[in-house]
């Protein structure tokens, strides 16, 4: 156990040094946030933070349209205990800096996830560390300002690691699958919905392929059954959490008609380009 804690500490130290090189402002209270991380992530983080410090949990945002359901889709993640330390931290420091630390924390979780994945495959430590650094620089850091996609890629290596752990190492496979599926159902609310679906497809195919070693389909299904119990529990919890938001969006926009619904593809493309140019 001490060995694993020592290795995780090493990964966190290396990742922190990389953060210092790429995002030094985070360490000096001058964080810079742009893109969807600012337009969607930080604005909703700030609204949730202000509501908490005003003494209530927000379920309604009166500042958008004539008021909208706040815990819609990704916003439900703000009710998670993982976010609360950064909400509290924003009470004693610039909320933008607290939000940057929040994103950085999840990036570190992604680094630990890829390291754990390569470790469970029994790669040597230098290879695992190289994979971790590569994943940070080429995948997570470019998505630093696209938080939904970032969080989905943070969860991906943990899911790949769980394929091996549930099938090969877990003693009580079904109980572990139900428990972990429930936890990941909550964690999935942080991710981008489309990428969440892609992750499930990729990891499910991965679970089948690595276990398809000349065995019959029946044996492959038996061996991977705990993992698919995990996926089922994940989906049930995730859909229960995001379904109210999906229904809310459907109610708001199901009758939407306008320029962007133009059926003629050439006109729609032209309108899209004009809209893009006028927005910028």
């Amino acid at each position: 156990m001490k060995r694993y804690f020592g290795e995780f500490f090493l990964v966190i130290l290396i990742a922190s040094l990389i953060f210092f090189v790429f995002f030094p402002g985070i360490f000096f209270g001058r964080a810079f946030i742009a893109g969807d991380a600012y337009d969607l992530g930080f604005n909703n983080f700030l609204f949730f933070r202000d509501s908490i410090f005003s003494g209530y949990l927000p379920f309604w945002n009166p500042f958008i349209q004539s008021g909208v359901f706040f815990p819609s889709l990704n916003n439900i993640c703000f009710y998670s205990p993982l976010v609360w330390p950064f909400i509290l931290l924003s009470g004693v420091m610039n909320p933008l800096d607290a939000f940057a630390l929040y994103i950085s924390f999840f990036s570190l979780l992604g680094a630990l996830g890829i390291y754990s994945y390569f470790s469970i495959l029994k790669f040597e430590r230098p290879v695992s560390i190289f994979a971790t650094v590569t994943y940070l620089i080429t995948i997570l850091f470019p998505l630093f300002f696209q938080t939904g996609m970032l969080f989905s890629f943070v969860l991906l290596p943990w899911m790949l690691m769980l394929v091996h752990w549930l099938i090969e190492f877990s003693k009580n496979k079904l109980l572990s699958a139900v428990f972990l599926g429930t936890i990941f159902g909550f964690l999935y609310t942080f991710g981008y919905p489309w990428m969440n679906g892609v992750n499930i497809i990729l990891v499910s195919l991965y679970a089948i392929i690595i276990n398809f070693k000349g065995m019959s389909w029946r044996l492959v299904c038996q061996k991977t059954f705990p993992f698919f119990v995990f996926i089922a529990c994940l989906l049930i919890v995730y859909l229960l959490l995001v379904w109210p938001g999906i229904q809310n969006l459907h109610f708001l926009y199901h009758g939407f008609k306008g320029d962007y619904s133009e059926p003629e593809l050439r006109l729609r493309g032209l309108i899209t380009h004009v809209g893009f140019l006028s927005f910028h």
Side-chain angles (χ1 to χ4, degrees):
M1 184 63 71
K2 289 182 179 180
R3 171 175 167 267
Y4 289 114
F5 277 118
E7 291 183 356
F8 272 20
F9 177 77
L10 177 63
V11 171
I12 292 173
L13 178 62
I14 293 172
S16 299
L17 290 174
I18 297 172
F19 265 96
F20 185 79
V21 173
F22 282 84
F23 304 105
I26 294 174
F27 295 86
F28 300 107
R30 298 194 301 272
F32 174 76
I33 301 293
D36 286 349
Y38 184 86
D39 298 333
L40 298 175
F42 176 67
N43 285 334
N44 286 312
F45 175 88
L46 187 64
F47 175 75
F48 187 83
R49 176 255 188 205
D50 290 346
S51 300
I52 294 300
F53 282 106
S54 296
Y56 66 93
L57 274 173
F59 294 102
W60 189 256
N61 185 348
F63 301 112
I64 298 177
Q65 296 176 347
S66 297
V68 295
F69 178 66
F70 178 73
S72 181
L73 298 180
N74 290 87
N75 284 353
I76 192 70
C77 73
F78 291 122
Y79 300 83
S80 166
L82 287 175
V83 181
W84 282 73
F86 301 97
I87 296 293
L88 296 176
L89 193 61
S90 69
V92 295
M93 66 186 301
N94 188 320
L96 189 63
D97 293 325
F99 185 72
L101 290 175
Y102 160 67
I103 301 175
S104 304
F105 168 75
F106 274 89
S107 299
L108 286 177
L109 286 184
L112 293 175
I114 200 69
Y115 183 83
S116 300
Y117 170 60
F118 274 78
S119 296
I120 207 169
L121 293 178
K122 298 181 180 178
F123 281 93
E124 295 182 0
R125 181 188 294 179
V127 177
S128 299
I129 290 176
F130 176 77
T132 301
V133 172
T134 302
Y135 197 72
L136 271 173
I137 294 175
T138 62
I139 302 295
L140 299 183
F141 283 174
L143 293 172
F144 199 78
F145 299 141
Q146 301 289 336
T147 48
M149 296 290 286
L150 170 69
F151 294 156
S152 291
F153 276 103
V154 164
L155 293 174
L156 179 59
W158 287 104
M159 294 179 70
L160 291 172
M161 189 270 290
L162 280 175
V163 170
H164 294 275
W165 186 81
L166 277 174
I167 294 173
E168 299 173 19
F169 302 106
S170 176
K171 294 181 179 179
N172 195 329
K173 299 182 187 300
L174 288 181
L175 183 61
S176 299
V178 171
F179 175 74
L180 291 171
T182 302
I183 296 298
F184 268 74
F186 283 95
L187 292 175
Y188 244 49
T189 59
F190 288 85
Y192 189 70
W194 174 83
M195 192 62 208
N196 286 344
V198 171
N199 279 357
I200 288 175
I201 293 171
L202 289 176
V203 177
S204 298
L205 289 174
Y206 176 78
I208 293 172
I209 291 170
I210 65 170
N211 287 285
F212 196 78
K213 301 173 182 177
M215 295 188 296
S216 66
W217 275 106
R218 183 176 63 84
L219 291 176
V220 171
C221 291
Q222 286 179 353
K223 192 170 183 181
T224 57
F225 180 70
F227 175 75
F228 287 102
V229 170
F230 161 79
I231 292 294
C233 293
L234 183 159
L235 284 173
I236 290 170
V237 173
Y238 176 63
L239 290 174
L240 284 173
L241 291 170
V242 301
W243 188 252
I246 293 173
Q247 291 296 99
N248 175 65
L249 289 175
H250 176 73
F251 171 77
L252 291 174
Y253 298 110
H254 75 280
F256 179 78
K257 298 293 182 183
D259 292 337
Y260 289 100
S261 63
E262 168 61 49
E264 169 57 49
L265 292 178
R266 288 172 297 180
L267 290 177
R268 187 164 60 197
L270 177 63
I271 292 167
T272 302
H273 288 302
V274 171
F276 178 82
L277 291 173
S278 64
F279 176 78
H280 286 76

